[in-house]
Amino acid sequence: MNLIRVLFFILFTAYSIFGQDIKTTEIKIFEEFTPSIIDATKINDRATYNDSSSNERVQQYDFFEFNLRSNFKTKILAPAKIKDPLLDKLHNNSASFGLGNYYKTQADIIYCSNRSKNKSYGIYFNHYADKYLPAKNSKNSFHGFYKQITLSNVYRINLIYDKRTAFYENENDLFDEYFRNRFAFTKLSLNIFSNKSMSNQISHNTKLSISDLNEFSENHFHVSSNITNLFKNLPLKINTRFDSYLNYNSELSPFISTYINYFNFSPNYALDKYNIILGFDLAVKSSGQNFHLMPNIKFSKELVKNIIKIETGFSQSHYKNSMRYISEINPYIHTYGMNQSIYANYAFEQNLSFTKRDKFYFSFRNILSDNDLIKTSISYSIVDNFLHFVRVDNLSYQRYKSEYIDLSEFNLECEYRKKINNLLSLNFKCDFYNWTEDVFNTSNFKFNLQVPFKLQQKINITPSVSFFSKKRFATISANQIAVPYENQNIQKLGPYLYTNLFFEYNYSKWLSAFLNIQNLTNNKNETWLGYKEQGISMLFGIKSSF
C-alpha cells in the first residue's frame, strides 16, 4: 500500500513539473504599441479613485496652513564664482639676431606688457643692413604702442619711426654721401573705436594721425571716421575722411612750399533683404580737378551658406602719391628738396598727383573643404594718373622721377590654399594685368608658390618660388623733363625667377634657430634699370622668447 502511494506521488509531481514547460509560441501584433507617460496635472480639491467594494468613489479633504516652529538655522552660503579658463602662457619678449653674406645684419627686439583686460603696451625694434658692391642698403624702424580699454571705447596710441637708406656707388669724383638716398619717417597716431557694436547704439572707428618725412620735406595730417547706427532702425554707414599734405616746407628747400587738402564723404545704405549696398563717393580737392561724384554699388550672395559666395559691384577710390608712398616703391628716386646731401644741379620736383580709379569687379570664393579654399577676382578699371617711373639722367645722377598716364586696366587674380595633411600645406597666388597703354617698370604677370612643411612643431621648412614677367624701362635726359614721352630710350629687362628656402628649428619654446636662403637661382637681373641686384644670399640667426 505504501508502495502504491509513493508511485502515485511521483507521477503527480512529475506531471506538475513538466506541465510548466511552455513551448515556443508565435505572437502576432495587430496594432503598434507606443509607450507614453501621462502629463502631470495639478491636484484637484476632489480626488477620485476606483474601489469595487463601494459605490461611493469620492474622497474629500481640506488644506490647512500653518508654520513649523524650529530653532534650526541654515548657514548662509557664499555666491558661486565663475572663473575664466586659464589662458596659455605667452612670452612677453623676444629677440633675434642674424648674420649673412654681403655683410648682412638683422636684429628684431620685441617687448610687450603682461596680458590685461584694461591696458597693454609694447615696443618693437627692427634693424637690417647689407652691402653688395656697388650698393649698400639699410632699414631701422621703431614702433611703440599703448592700448586702453574702457566700457564704451578702446583707445590706441602708436608712434612709428622708420629710416631707410639706399646707396649706390658713384663713378664721379663726388663724395659717397651725395649718392645715399635717405628717407626718415615719423608718425604719431590715435585710434578710438567702439568697444561693443550694439544694434541700437552708435558705433564708430575714428583715426587721427600726423606724420613727417625728412624734416618737413613732407607733412601729412589725417582724420577719418566710420560711423554706423547714427540713425535708429536705418542700416546706414557713413565714411568720412580729411587729408592735408604739405610739401617742401623746410627752410633749406630750394622749392616753394606747396599744400593740398582732400575731403571724402561716402554714405552707404544696406538693403539686407536683397544683399545689396548702395552709396556714393563725394571727393573734393583744393586744387586741380577738385570735384568727383560717383556711385558705389555692392551685391553679395552666398549660393551655399558659408561655402560658395559671389560678390560684384562698382567702386571708386582716390589716393595721393606722396613722397612717402613713391619712395617705398622705388628707393632710387631723385630727392631734390628732401633735406639730404645731394649735388643740386638740374634740380626739379617730384610729381605728386592723385590717382583716381573707377572699378567694376566680380569675385568668387569657394571653400572646397575644411582644408581647401579657392578665390578668384576679375576687375576692369578706368584709371586717371596711373603711377610709373621714368629714369631721368643728368650729369651727376641716373635716378627716377614719378610720371603718370591715363589708361584702362584689366586684372585677373587667383588664390588657392590647401592643407594637404598635418605636415604639408600649399599656397598659390597669381596676378595678371592688361593695360591699354605702355606701362614702365611694372610686370603684367606674377605668381608666388609656397609649400610649408612642419614636423612635430620642431622643424619648419618653407620653399617658395616667385616669378615676374618682363618690365619696360624708359630713360630720358634732364632737358626732356617737360616732354618725358618724346625721344625716350626704351629697354626691357627680365623675366625674373626667384627660388627661396626658409628653415627653422625650434629647440624649445624659448629658443630657435633659422636659416633664410634667398634667390637660389642666382638671378641678377636688374629690378631697376642701372642698379645691379645681389645674387644668392643667406642669413643665419637665432631667436629667443622669454
Side-chain angles (χ1 to χ4, degrees):
M1 188 68 179
N2 291 333
L3 179 61
I4 295 173
R5 290 180 179 178
V6 171
L7 293 175
F8 178 80
F9 176 77
I10 292 173
L11 292 174
F12 179 80
T13 304
Y15 177 80
S16 301
I17 293 174
F18 289 109
Q20 300 298 320
D21 185 15
I22 302 176
K23 296 182 180 180
T24 302
T25 305
E26 181 181 1
I27 301 175
K28 294 183 179 180
I29 300 176
F30 295 96
E31 294 182 0
E32 182 180 359
F33 173 71
T34 303
S36 61
I37 300 176
I38 301 175
D39 295 335
T41 57
K42 183 179 178 181
I43 298 177
N44 299 323
D45 290 344
R46 300 173 63 87
T48 60
Y49 60 92
N50 296 326
D51 187 357
S52 59
S53 63
S54 174
N55 292 330
E56 183 63 32
R57 300 180 181 179
V58 177
Q59 181 181 11
Q60 295 183 355
Y61 56 88
D62 296 325
F63 290 98
F64 298 92
E65 295 183 1
F66 57 90
N67 296 325
L68 294 176
R69 296 180 181 180
S70 174
N71 295 327
F72 179 78
K73 295 182 180 180
T74 60
K75 182 180 178 180
I76 299 177
L77 300 177
K81 295 182 179 180
I82 301 177
K83 295 183 178 180
D84 295 330
L86 294 177
L87 300 177
D88 295 335
K89 185 178 180 180
L90 299 178
H91 298 294
N92 294 352
N93 314 306
S94 69
S96 67
F97 302 93
L99 296 172
N101 62 335
Y102 297 113
Y103 301 96
K104 287 182 185 294
T105 57
Q106 178 177 306
D108 292 278
I109 299 175
I110 300 174
Y111 168 78
C112 292
S113 63
N114 293 326
R115 233 177 343 199
S116 171
K117 294 182 179 180
N118 300 323
K119 65 179 180 180
S120 61
Y121 54 88
I123 58 174
Y124 168 69
F125 171 77
N126 168 262
H127 161 79
Y128 173 83
D130 62 30
K131 178 182 178 181
Y132 61 97
L133 294 178
K136 300 176 185 177
N137 300 292
S138 67
K139 180 179 179 180
N140 296 285
S141 60
F142 169 85
H143 181 199
F145 75 92
Y146 177 82
K147 183 179 179 181
Q148 181 71 45
I149 302 175
T150 64
L151 292 176
S152 56
N153 293 306
V154 177
Y155 302 85
R156 186 182 178 99
I157 301 175
N158 292 276
L159 175 63
I160 298 175
Y161 176 76
D162 179 87
K163 182 180 179 181
R164 293 171 296 118
T165 62
F167 169 80
Y168 201 83
E169 191 174 74
N170 68 91
E171 298 179 355
N172 299 327
D173 296 330
L174 298 175
F175 294 108
D176 287 348
E177 63 181 18
Y178 287 108
F179 289 84
R180 178 178 288 106
N181 267 0
R182 176 184 64 91
F183 305 101
F185 178 76
T186 306
K187 180 179 180 180
L188 178 64
S189 62
L190 171 65
N191 183 205
I192 306 174
F193 55 92
S194 301
N195 192 4
K196 296 181 180 179
S197 180
M198 307 295 290
S199 58
N200 57 350
Q201 294 183 0
I202 297 177
S203 176
H204 73 97
N205 186 351
T206 304
K207 298 178 181 179
L208 174 69
S209 67
I210 184 170
S211 64
D212 173 80
L213 178 69
N214 283 7
E215 303 84 37
F216 300 104
S217 294
E218 179 176 75
N219 297 102
H220 177 206
F221 174 76
H222 167 85
V223 59
S224 63
S225 185
N226 301 331
I227 306 172
T228 56
N229 303 324
L230 184 61
F231 305 100
K232 292 184 177 180
N233 302 322
L234 191 64
L236 183 66
K237 181 178 181 180
I238 299 176
N239 303 324
T240 60
R241 174 178 177 176
F242 174 79
D243 292 278
S244 181
Y245 295 89
L246 290 86
N247 292 106
Y248 306 110
N249 203 34
S250 172
E251 295 180 356
L252 301 177
S253 174
F255 306 120
I256 299 175
S257 177
T258 62
Y259 75 93
I260 186 171
N261 297 325
Y262 172 80
F263 173 76
N264 180 273
F265 176 74
S266 178
N268 295 277
Y269 183 82
L271 300 173
D272 295 331
K273 182 178 179 180
Y274 303 100
N275 300 311
I276 297 176
I277 298 178
L278 299 176
F280 64 87
D281 266 348
L282 172 63
V284 180
K285 294 186 296 183
S286 60
S287 64
Q289 189 177 358
N290 53 12
F291 182 84
H292 299 276
L293 179 63
M294 290 296 291
N296 275 338
I297 302 173
K298 176 182 175 182
F299 170 78
S300 61
K301 177 69 175 180
E302 284 192 337
L303 302 180
V304 179
K305 188 175 181 180
N306 297 327
I307 297 179
I308 300 178
K309 181 181 179 180
I310 60 172
E311 183 176 311
T312 186
F314 180 83
S315 65
Q316 180 186 184
S317 63
H318 288 81
Y319 55 89
K320 173 72 180 296
N321 297 290
S322 62
M323 288 182 183
R324 165 73 173 177
Y325 179 72
I326 66 174
S327 66
E328 288 184 324
I329 299 175
N330 185 353
Y332 300 114
I333 61 174
H334 282 284
T335 54
Y336 296 117
M338 297 187 189
N339 272 358
Q340 52 190 305
S341 298
I342 195 167
Y343 189 67
N345 60 341
Y346 303 101
F348 52 85
E349 304 175 23
Q350 285 288 345
N351 190 352
L352 307 174
S353 299
F354 274 83
T355 295
K356 183 175 78 75
R357 182 182 293 268
D358 299 326
K359 177 180 178 180
F360 173 79
Y361 65 94
F362 174 84
S363 64
F364 172 82
R365 183 208 69 192
N366 188 5
I367 301 177
L368 303 176
S369 68
D370 293 339
N371 302 318
D372 266 331
L373 170 66
I374 184 171
K375 294 194 297 184
T376 59
S377 174
I378 300 175
S379 66
Y380 177 80
S381 304
I382 299 175
V383 186
D384 295 341
N385 292 333
F386 181 93
L387 172 67
H388 62 174
F389 296 90
V390 174
R391 202 183 78 182
V392 180
D393 300 342
N394 56 28
L395 295 178
S396 301
Y397 300 102
Q398 294 181 344
R399 290 182 176 171
Y400 290 83
K401 184 178 184 295
S402 56
E403 291 293 341
Y404 302 89
I405 189 171
D406 297 339
L407 50 77
S408 297
E409 175 189 273
F410 172 81
N411 175 227
L412 172 63
E413 297 181 4
C414 182
E415 182 179 358
Y416 177 70
R417 297 197 300 264
K418 179 179 178 62
K419 183 179 179 181
I420 301 174
N421 50 44
N422 293 331
L423 302 178
L424 200 62
S425 301
L426 185 146
N427 301 319
F428 173 79
K429 185 176 182 180
C430 71
D431 290 277
F432 172 76
Y433 296 90
N434 185 35
W435 299 289
T436 56
E437 302 289 342
D438 291 335
V439 173
F440 302 133
N441 44 73
T442 302
S443 299
N444 69 334
F445 177 74
K446 52 188 176 181
F447 78 82
N448 179 264
L449 174 65
Q450 292 184 345
V451 187
F453 175 81
K454 296 183 179 181
L455 182 60
Q456 296 181 352
Q457 298 183 351
K458 279 289 186 180
I459 298 177
N460 298 326
I461 303 175
T462 306
S464 63
V465 178
S466 298
F467 174 82
F468 302 88
S469 61
K470 290 184 178 182
K471 298 181 181 180
R472 291 166 50 88
F473 289 88
T475 62
I476 61 175
S477 61
N479 56 12
Q480 294 178 270
I481 293 180
V483 283
Y485 298 106
E486 294 184 7
N487 301 320
Q488 56 189 350
N489 180 23
I490 303 297
Q491 299 185 44
K492 290 185 178 181
L493 295 178
Y496 308 84
L497 178 65
Y498 301 99
T499 303
N500 308 317
L501 179 64
F502 179 79
F503 176 84
E504 182 182 32
Y505 174 71
N506 297 312
Y507 177 77
S508 64
K509 292 183 178 180
W510 59 272
L511 184 63
S512 62
F514 63 89
L515 176 64
N516 191 3
I517 305 176
Q518 299 280 336
N519 195 9
L520 281 168
T521 52
N522 200 30
N523 190 333
K524 295 184 179 181
N525 288 338
E526 298 174 358
T527 304
W528 296 99
L529 180 64
Y531 294 85
K532 296 180 180 179
E533 291 291 326
Q534 55 183 299
I536 183 173
S537 65
M538 293 181 289
L539 182 74
F540 173 78
I542 59 174
K543 179 180 179 181
S544 177
S545 302
F546 49 93

